[in-house]
Amino acid sequence: MRSAPHRAAALIAAAAVCGGALAGCSSPSNSEDTRSVTVVGTGKVTGVPDTLSATIGVEAQADDVSAAINEASEKIAKITESVTAAGVDKKDVQTQQVSINPRYSSPGSGGGTSSISGYEASNTISVKVRDLTKASKLLGDAVTAGGNNTRLSGVSFAVDDNSALMRNAREAAFADARARADQYARLSGDKLGKALMITESNSADSSPSPTYKSARDMAVAPIPIEPGEQTLNYSVTVRFALT
């Protein structure tokens, strides 16, 4: 039989172990255990584009490399001079591609191999027009300056500073998310608490842009353009606490 002092020491040790276990059980639950509702809100705003971007290039063919690249360079220089004279800032004109490739002759009816018969050079620039009232005439004059081998493509419109549109779209998307979450909270007999998590995504949509192939396919008079509207869509996923 244990003595009284021994029994007292055992009881004290057992109480200490139990106390430790209770302390572990009483730790607060983490945020994952918080009752919540997760919803997706959407916001959509539209704006009128105020800038136009276009890709303008020229092609030149000649019997030797130097003649081909020199002709392409001269034509693209005339186009650059034309658009800058129309008011485009030099910083808004950027070289996109310069290339030169050999052209091959076809083998004769008697067989044989093809051989280099000349060279084709191309030079392409991108142009950003910030005054849309000048865009139609500017594009027409650029094509005229480059001649028949001018290529015009990649015409697109954009809102140069869309920060205000983005703010409005975010506000609309979050308001939509809160309204949805509040409805679910009321349906479940709860109240809507604070936002616990927010994740957003956005995209800009615009009408398909026209593509022009060459000066022979269009009049070199002012080219009709319509900027239309640009739509900015925002989607936000929000997890709200329920109280």
Side-chain angles (χ1 to χ4, degrees), residues 15-230:
V17 172
C18 183
L22 289 174
C25 294
S26 64
S27 61
S29 60
N30 58 39
S31 60
E32 294 298 324
D33 297 327
T34 302
R35 294 184 66 252
S36 62
V37 57
T38 302
V39 294
V40 177
T42 58
K44 178 179 179 180
V45 294
T46 59
V48 178
D50 54 14
T51 61
L52 175 147
S53 295
T55 301
I56 308 174
V58 293
E59 296 177 353
Q61 297 180 356
D63 293 336
D64 61 85
V65 171
S66 297
I69 196 68
N70 287 343
E71 183 180 348
S73 298
E74 290 174 3
K75 289 181 177 179
I76 207 68
K78 290 181 179 179
I79 291 174
T80 301
E81 183 180 352
S82 173
V83 298
T84 54
V88 174
D89 195 305
K90 198 65 179 291
K91 70 180 182 181
D92 290 327
V93 180
Q94 184 179 57
T95 298
Q96 294 293 298
Q97 184 183 34
V98 178
S99 66
I100 184 163
N101 297 289
R103 291 186 295 118
Y104 293 91
S105 61
S106 301
S109 57
T113 59
S114 59
S115 60
I116 295 177
S117 60
Y119 295 87
E120 180 175 279
S122 65
N123 197 323
T124 304
I125 61 172
S126 66
V127 177
K128 179 178 285 188
V129 184
R130 300 181 185 275
D131 185 351
L132 293 187
T133 62
K134 299 179 179 180
S136 293
K137 186 176 185 304
L138 184 147
L139 293 179
D141 290 347
V143 170
T144 299
N148 286 340
N149 289 334
T150 303
R151 301 291 185 265
L152 175 61
S153 63
V155 178
S156 62
F157 298 92
V159 178
D160 190 43
D161 182 4
N162 64 355
S163 56
L165 289 178
M166 292 173 69
R167 284 195 300 271
N168 293 338
R170 286 193 189 100
E171 291 176 1
F174 190 82
D176 183 48
R178 179 178 287 280
R180 292 170 187 262
D182 185 62
Q183 182 181 14
Y184 284 122
R186 286 186 287 104
L187 290 172
S188 61
D190 293 303
K191 292 183 179 180
L192 194 66
K194 65 180 181 179
L196 302 175
M197 180 273 295
I198 303 173
T199 305
E200 71 170 16
S201 63
N202 69 84
S203 64
D205 302 324
S206 58
S207 301
S209 301
T211 300
Y212 303 101
K213 295 183 179 179
S214 73
R216 291 187 295 272
D217 298 324
M218 69 178 118
V220 292
I223 299 171
I225 60 169
E226 292 295 338
E229 286 187 338
Q230 185 177 50

